Structure formats: C-alpha cells, structure tokens
Amino acid sequence: MTTETLFLTLVAETSIHAGASESEGVVDLPVQREKHNDWPFVAGSGMKGAMRAKAQTIEGLDIKTLFGPDPKDNNGSDYAGSLQVTDARLLLLPVRSLTGHYRWICCPALLKRLERDLHRAGRNNVVFNDEVGEGEALPGKLPGKTTLYLEEYAFSVKDRIAESGLALLKSVLPEDHHDELENKLAVISDDYFRHLCRAAIPVNAHIAIDSDTKTVRKGKLWYEESLAPDTIMYTMIVVQKSRNGKMSAAEGKTAVTEQLFATPYLQVGGNETTGMGWFKVNQVQEDA
C-alpha cells in the first residue's frame, strides 16, 4: 500500500491548554475552537509538533524521514516528512452533573462526523441515526430517573442511546472505558452541546506574586481556559512512502506504533512545566 492510516483516541490525563491566538471576552487565553460550531479542538500543526518533540527523545527513530528535515538546519524545504497529522477533534466532553459523578456529553452532529472520519480512515460501518429533541438527553444506560442534570440545565430522559450509537463510540474507545461510557454518556442536542462547549469549559485565574510586597505584580493576573481531565478527543495520522526513499508506508506506520508510541503518552499544548497537557494515546485497530 502507498499509504497507511492510524486512528488514535486521546484521553486527557491532565488539563489541556492548546491556546488560541486571540483573547475572547474576559478570558485572556482561550482554548482553540472550531469557528463554525465552537467545539474545542487542537490544530494538526500542534499535534504534529508535539509528536516531533516526543520523537526527539527516542533513540534510533528516523525523525527526518517521518517529520521532514528541521527548518533550523536551513534545509527544511528539501522534502516533506511522510506523516500527515490531522486536527485532534472533540469526542466526549466531561461536564458536572447532579445525576452522577460527571457526564460525558456529545451530540448527533459530532457522532455523524466521527462516523465519516472512521469511514475516511477505512474503519467500521457503524452508523448513528438517533434523534435528540431540545431539552432531551439519551444516556448510555437508563438511570431510573426521568430527569438528567448537566451543569444548571435539566434534560428529560425518555430512552437510551441506540446500541448502534453506543457501538460507534465503543469502537474508538479503549476497552477499559466501555463500562464507564455506558454509565456516564449523555447525548444531547447540537444546540445545547454547542452552548456547553462554551459554558462548561474550566476557566482558571493565574497570578504572579511580587516576592517583596507579596501582592500581584502589575499586569500579572490573567484568566486561562483549559480542557478538563477525562476530555476525550481523536486524531488521525496518514503515513505515506517517504520522499527520501528510506521508508515504505508500512515501515513508517511500524515506526509510529512501535517506537513513537511505545509509551502511550503525549504532551500537547502549553504549561508543560506545571504538569498540563498529557494525553494517553490509544490506537484504534482496523476492522478484522
């Protein structure tokens, strides 16, 4: 094959801050969002940069072939690397809930996009066809209650998500998350999901203290958004035959799976020195 495709699920182990270039309202450092739907994402350039940074710590990995020459060496335009890395797209957003510990929410538009992305990656034919009305929620399991609370909103529960929709999500999640998914999942309407992608993202205040006066240094109070731990996203890597002739697509795929992700962790975004940005990476297997 001339190309190979890897579909990776990313489970946030810590808070994630992949910042946008512009501030919004009172938030000085918002996370990246898709302009047309307000869903958080991490740009493919940031994902590829994080992977390259990890690759530089792995002895014996052919970084130039996979990622291309380093532009700092003044030969970055000699040839492109063999990896194409897509944006990390949102899959499940954790939000506070009075009906349980917390809930993983998503919406029909997001699930239909997941379905299309899986097809593009040559994976399963599971489809999502449920409809969700305004103010309604489809849980993974019927909670024995007619009302589900998400943040300050109450949603009516009339049924659970269809098995096909549950199977679609399970097909990309690690097996140790399957039971948790059924207990925590809530599919809500596209409009409410868009709103909670704004209202339910944590915003933290950061300050720098003057060591002499023990007060906030001038101009050193800012507000920063971050995706909460347990946020789940996904990304794809298309591996091509290398342009320098050193590696086939299959060999490139093996290098990614057996060397780059021999340990399943990837640091993405800012605030690395304060422990933020860690995803656990899970490779979604191809259909048998």
Side-chain angles (χ1 to χ4, degrees), residues 209-216:
I209 298 293
D210 186 305
S211 58
D212 294 328
T213 65
K214 299 301 180 185
T215 59
V216 178

Side-chain angles (χ1 to χ4, degrees), residues 10 15 27 31 34 47 53 63 68 91 127 129 222 234 251 274:
L10 310 165
S15 296
V27 179
V31 296
E34 298 182 41
M47 293 300 300
I63 298 173
L91 180 60
V127 296
N129 290 317
W222 70 96
Y234 65 89
E251 290 169 334
T274 54

Side-chain angles (χ1 to χ4, degrees), residues 142-157:
L142 283 175
K145 300 177 181 178
T146 57
T147 304
L148 187 91
Y149 295 96
L150 299 171
E151 295 285 336
E152 68 269 39
Y153 301 100
F155 295 82
S156 58
V157 177

